[in-house]
Amino acid sequence: MDIDIEDILAELDRDTTAVDESLPSHDEIPSESNTTSHTLLNNSLETGLNNDKNGKRITTTVATDNNLRIVSPELSFKQLMTCWRNERCAPELLPFPHELMKRMMSRIQEQMEYIENISMGFLENDHTHYSDHSPQDRNKLATDDDPVATRMNSNHDSKLPLLCMEAEIERVKFVIRSFIRCRLSKIDKFSLYLRQLKEDDTNIISLDEILSREELEYHERHFLISLKLLNDSVLKYMPTELQAINDTEGSVNMIEEPDWNKFVFIHVVGPPDGNLEKDSSLTTNEFNKYCYSVTIPELKEDVELTINSIYVMRYEVIRDLLKAGKVELI
Amino acid sequence: MGYYDIDDILADSVEIPCKFQHDIPGLGYLENNPGKPISKNAKLDLPIWLARILAIVGGDANPDTMEDEEPLPFVELLTPDMFSPKVINAIKADPASLDLHAINSYFYSLATKWITLFNDKQLAEVVHNLLLERSQIINKYAGSVPVDLFHSSTDIGSGKKTGHSSHGGNSSMVRVSNSTFLLTLDEFEKKIYKKSHESYKDTKRWMFEK
């Protein structure tokens, strides 16, 4: 019976998503909880993806406890935060979130243009006092590139929404910048290892999936530059059999691999869609709590990872769970 | 322990005593008299990066070892001072008061290398306990962030000069009691101490300042 009601509710929700969505996205900026700025902000953030969202709504909706899973700006920002945290803590270079980053970049672009349009409205100093708070209308206005419409959208003298929008975009940009810089430092570190991955045909994941296009180029060129420096300054004086910089036969392996057994803090979040019953790797323990069971190979020890708890664990052990989004690094 | 790890390179150059098991011509420069052969049973101090290989690779052309099943390696590694029973007993007795830095400044990384070479479970256990015991003290010292650190910095920020003398005395007290222990840390522990102290300090600074 419950399931039926939820289905009906989900159906109802589907019709009114445009209104509902502005509610959860309040989490997006925890520090600033000004509602007026939020309605403006969220809607403007959504505009960029409105068309995209309509297309995806059918394919990506999964009805779980009344919430519809839609690629909303708020969700993709949350995904970005997770990616960022995982990247900062993981010893290896994680696969690049291609789709997510494409979404985020286009959204930043659009939001910046939007802010610019609004501030033009401030400059021209003729505000039509147009107090309209219904999101649908505002969306319509924001998607419109007509400068008159955007000017009308900046409907009062208050600069607070503009301030918040700028602060918000700075926040997002900071996260992306830090994320990419972290990845670049890992690319520097594992340059030889990544190269070995590329040359090795047997390997499962290709380099294009791990790196973005820009990172591939960076990796390639940075590798060549440092190779040239090493070659010209030192290696050309060495005997030919010692000139390789990726020698694995010598007494010390020259290729630095990620420290697979690094201890990391993990938070077990459970399956990403929140549906505990469907996840086949989940088991229940004697306290009737859901948990994942993993084995530490060196110690031959089984460990139960209970959902919503925090562990210090070897990275290799939880690697698959991390890739599936069932645990997060902290 | 990467290829470009400076601490690892430095640790690799620590010399350990070795005994040669073959007569080898031309290697006299290891004994500082080049041109002469190195004789069997000569005792030498060799850096680990060299000794490690020589202790594994065997001399096959030697007629003495023909009857042996496994070729005798070039050198035999003798137990260095830092893993002698004296030191092991001292570690077992009181890890906290041990002056690791005086024994060897790269004690842990050398111990790791030694354990991998000989598969020495007993030593592994001793060093494991040593690290656990000492890390508790390291944490204690790293967690004690001097209060005046923030006072003085805020004082300077607001242009006040009051209260500096008393705080100065306080901080020097802390530093003296810290330093006697900190001088006994080996390089690995120093890294741990530095990192944890920095994170304690930054957390405190974040909590009490803006």
Side-chain angles (χ1 to χ4, degrees):
Chain A
M1 287 302 280
D2 286 347
I3 301 159
D4 286 348
I5 291 168
E6 276 182 11
D7 278 351
I8 292 163
L9 285 173
E11 281 298 319
L12 283 172
D13 276 355
R14 196 180 294 232
D15 299 332
T16 54
T17 33
V19 184
D20 269 1
E21 259 170 308
S22 60
L23 293 172
S25 39
H26 281 273
D27 298 340
E28 205 167 75
I29 330 169
S31 59
E32 303 154 332
S33 54
N34 189 311
T35 40
T36 51
S37 71
H38 270 296
T39 41
L40 232 176
L41 206 69
N42 291 321
N43 292 324
S44 51
L45 262 177
E46 274 165 25
T47 51
L49 254 251
N50 243 357
N51 301 330
D52 193 20
K53 220 163 39 196
N54 280 328
K56 280 188 180 169
R57 191 165 289 169
I58 306 145
T59 50
T60 57
T61 42
V62 182
T64 53
D65 55 9
N66 292 357
N67 276 333
L68 291 177
R69 298 229 159 233
I70 293 165
V71 192
S72 70
E74 182 224 355
L75 187 69
S76 37
F77 184 70
K78 269 187 184 160
Q79 281 172 351
L80 180 69
M81 291 300 274
T82 315
C83 280
W84 181 45
R85 268 200 302 266
N86 288 348
E87 193 67 62
R88 293 284 306 233
C89 301
E92 70 159 334
L93 190 67
L94 297 169
F96 187 79
H98 290 280
E99 285 298 312
L100 176 66
M101 286 305 275
K102 217 190 285 172
R103 283 205 301 273
M104 291 312 282
M105 295 316 271
S106 67
R107 215 169 272 149
I108 285 179
Q109 188 68 36
E110 271 158 39
Q111 181 71 354
M112 268 163 72
E113 279 167 17
Y114 179 62
I115 289 175
E116 218 158 272
N117 281 343
I118 288 183
S119 44
M120 295 284 274
F122 276 120
L123 277 180
E124 282 170 28
N125 224 359
D126 59 330
H127 309 303
T128 43
H129 288 272
Y130 189 85
S131 61
D132 170 30
H133 288 291
S134 85
Q136 284 97 339
D137 279 0
R138 193 152 300 176
N139 269 350
K140 220 188 292 161
L141 289 174
T143 38
D144 209 338
D145 276 340
D146 186 9
V148 181
T150 43
R151 209 187 306 139
M152 288 205 294
N153 207 9
S154 62
N155 49 4
H156 35 69
D157 295 335
S158 165
K159 292 207 168 53
L160 186 61
L162 194 62
L163 263 173
C164 289
M165 274 187 262
E166 275 167 6
E168 171 69 11
I169 211 163
E170 283 309 314
R171 287 169 63 87
V172 178
K173 270 158 76 181
F174 170 80
V175 173
I176 290 179
R177 249 184 254 140
S178 167
F179 176 63
I180 289 181
R181 236 183 294 132
C182 172
R183 290 180 60 86
L184 287 184
S185 78
K186 278 188 188 174
I187 292 173
D188 281 355
K189 201 172 163 199
F190 301 128
S191 177
L192 285 168
Y193 172 72
L194 289 170
R195 223 179 145 68
Q196 190 193 31
L197 277 187
K198 195 165 112 188
E199 281 156 13
D200 187 9
D201 294 331
T202 56
N203 131 64
I204 318 145
I205 193 158
S206 75
L207 210 57
D208 307 342
E209 281 173 61
I210 302 179
L211 301 178
S212 72
R213 205 161 39 77
E214 292 84 3
E215 285 167 344
L216 269 175
E217 194 183 333
Y218 172 81
H219 172 233
E220 194 62 34
R221 285 175 54 185
H222 183 265
F223 176 75
L224 287 179
I225 290 170
S226 50
L227 181 67
K228 191 166 184 298
L229 174 70
L230 273 175
N231 260 333
D232 289 355
S233 57
V234 183
L235 287 175
K236 68 177 175 189
Y237 304 111
M238 301 293 254
T240 33
E241 68 268 21
L242 294 181
Q243 277 182 357
I245 54 147
N246 53 359
D247 184 12
T248 51
E249 308 291 313
S251 59
V252 184
N253 194 345
M254 290 173 102
I255 296 183
E256 189 172 353
E257 275 196 39
D259 180 9
W260 297 111
N261 275 329
K262 186 189 173 198
F263 280 93
V264 286
F265 282 86
I266 57 166
H267 176 216
V268 188
V269 287
D273 56 353
N275 200 333
L276 295 173
E277 276 81 13
K278 274 188 185 163
D279 196 344
S280 54
S281 55
L282 268 178
T283 47
T284 43
N285 63 2
E286 69 258 45
F287 305 112
N288 221 2
K289 282 185 177 149
Y290 285 105
C291 56
Y292 296 102
S293 190
V294 292
T295 313
I296 303 168
E298 284 97 341
L299 306 174
K300 297 198 175 58
E301 191 183 315
D302 287 335
V303 185
E304 285 175 345
L305 304 177
T306 329
I307 284 193
N308 270 333
S309 45
I310 288 170
Y311 295 85
V312 187
M313 192 54 78
R314 286 167 208 252
Y315 181 72
E316 181 68 77
V317 178
I318 52 105
R319 197 168 161 219
D320 292 334
L321 288 177
L322 180 72
K323 293 252 159 94
K326 290 166 186 171
V327 299
E328 281 177 4
L329 303 186
I330 40 179
Chain B
M1 294 215 212
Y3 183 76
Y4 298 102
D5 186 345
I6 290 184
D7 280 321
D8 192 43
I9 295 170
L10 288 174
D12 253 348
S13 64
V14 172
E15 298 192 338
I16 54 170
C18 302
K19 192 170 83 178
F20 269 83
Q21 297 175 326
H22 299 284
D23 290 318
I24 304 162
L27 272 185
Y29 63 87
L30 291 175
E31 270 184 318
N32 282 333
N33 43 357
K36 297 220 178 100
I38 215 161
S39 54
K40 197 176 166 181
N41 288 336
K43 283 190 186 169
L44 279 185
D45 280 347
L46 293 181
I48 279 202
W49 60 265
L50 184 59
R52 186 172 49 197
I53 289 293
L54 291 183
I56 296 168
V57 185
D60 41 6
N62 200 311
D64 294 352
T65 56
M66 282 300 271
E67 63 267 26
D68 283 351
E69 282 292 306
E70 284 183 19
L72 205 58
F74 286 118
V75 299
E76 186 194 341
L77 298 183
L78 307 173
T79 314
D81 281 343
M82 55 183 172
F83 302 125
S84 64
K86 203 178 87 186
V87 175
I88 301 293
N89 283 336
I91 291 175
K92 280 181 188 161
D94 189 6
S97 63
L98 195 69
D99 190 352
L100 264 194
H101 196 265
I103 296 169
N104 198 300
S105 44
Y106 293 100
F107 185 83
Y108 286 108
S109 49
L110 289 175
T112 323
K113 287 173 205 290
W114 194 260
I115 292 164
T116 8
L117 268 177
F118 290 100
N119 219 350
D120 191 342
K121 283 212 174 106
Q122 270 180 315
L123 182 63
E125 199 154 304
V126 170
V127 175
H128 176 78
N129 282 333
L130 171 73
L131 181 59
L132 281 185
E133 291 276 335
R134 283 175 76 88
S135 57
Q136 288 177 13
I137 313 167
I138 292 172
N139 184 39
K140 200 180 81 189
Y141 279 106
S144 66
V145 181
V147 187
D148 67 306
L149 187 92
F150 308 109
H151 280 282
S152 57
S153 62
T154 44
D155 282 354
I156 289 164
S158 57
K160 281 179 198 163
K161 296 270 178 180
T162 50
H164 254 283
S165 54
S166 63
H167 285 311
N170 192 10
S171 78
S172 67
M173 284 289 284
V174 171
R175 258 160 228 158
V176 164
S177 67
N178 258 354
S179 60
T180 45
F181 175 72
L182 292 185
L183 284 177
T184 72
L185 292 178
D186 97 325
E187 291 296 322
F188 175 63
E189 290 173 328
K190 267 186 201 161
K191 233 187 265 172
I192 297 177
Y193 171 77
K194 222 180 216 164
K195 267 202 176 158
S196 55
H197 186 62
E198 286 293 314
S199 55
Y200 271 117
K201 212 166 71 184
D202 287 345
T203 318
K204 211 162 187 181
R205 179 165 280 164
W206 184 73
M207 299 273 273
F208 296 113
E209 286 180 24
K210 288 264 163 85

